[in-house]
Amino acid sequence: MTAHALDGYQISTDPARLDADLVHHWLSTDAYWALDRPRDLHDRAVEGSLNFGLYESGSGRQVAYARIVTDHATFAWLCDVYVCRDDRGKGLGTALVEAVAEHMTPCGLSRITLATKDAHGVYEKIGFRRMAAPEQWMTLGLIDPGPMGI
């Protein structure tokens, strides 16, 4: 996906378009799951992911970000979904996540998973649902990330 039109906005997976400083600032200062995330850790996460930026069509200003960690065959983890505070309430986060899901559909994935503390309703509108059998899922916590520091 190079660009996806959305009434005055574009969604792109082009890594050259990402405003790396801005995305790190958003996440490390305003996202409960990534507060104080060190820049080197952030950069490694971005490098190992498929990244999606949402940009104003005219100015090119980045207004949102999301990334997918995936093998492009069986599984994907959606994370670091963030919309600039000044641009919230316009449906941009929903549009971004829908574009991510659309982009991943041809891969034939069994599932896309995510973790959220407070946005269940947003993701349910897109088709995400709570795990039917959460008792089947496990995690290996190599570092104690805190309440939702994923």
Side-chain angles (χ1 to χ4, degrees):
M1 166 188 289
T2 52
H4 182 272
L6 168 73
D7 288 344
Y9 296 90
Q10 290 184 326
I11 297 171
S12 174
T13 58
D14 180 357
R17 289 192 70 182
L18 286 178
D19 185 334
D21 293 331
L22 179 63
V23 172
H24 176 256
H25 174 75
W26 283 340
L27 296 175
S28 67
T29 64
D30 193 40
Y32 67 84
W33 64 90
L35 291 176
D36 299 320
R37 180 183 286 171
R39 179 61 188 259
D40 64 322
L41 180 65
H42 170 78
D43 290 345
R44 285 192 339 234
V46 168
E47 185 178 315
S49 301
L50 174 58
N51 300 278
F52 293 79
L54 190 142
Y55 308 89
E56 286 181 333
S57 294
S59 69
R61 179 179 74 96
Q62 186 169 352
V63 298
Y65 173 77
R67 68 185 179 93
I68 284 275
V69 180
T70 185
D71 61 6
H72 297 277
T74 63
F75 183 83
W77 176 266
L78 174 63
C79 48
D80 288 345
V81 177
Y82 186 91
V83 176
C84 177
R85 285 197 173 270
D86 295 340
D87 297 281
R88 293 182 184 170
K90 302 175 185 177
L92 299 176
T94 299
L96 179 58
V97 173
E98 286 175 336
V100 169
E102 178 184 308
H103 182 85
M104 299 309 296
T105 297
C107 295
L109 304 174
S110 300
R111 68 188 52 84
I112 298 174
T113 60
L114 62 84
T116 183
K117 183 170 75 173
D118 59 358
H120 294 82
V122 172
Y123 292 106
E124 286 169 346
K125 286 190 300 189
I126 299 163
F128 283 85
R129 62 184 185 281
R130 295 173 194 262
M131 290 185 177
E135 68 279 359
Q136 294 177 1
W137 289 82
M138 299 179 72
T139 184
L140 176 62
L142 301 177
I143 298 173
D144 183 6
M148 278 295 290
I150 304 168

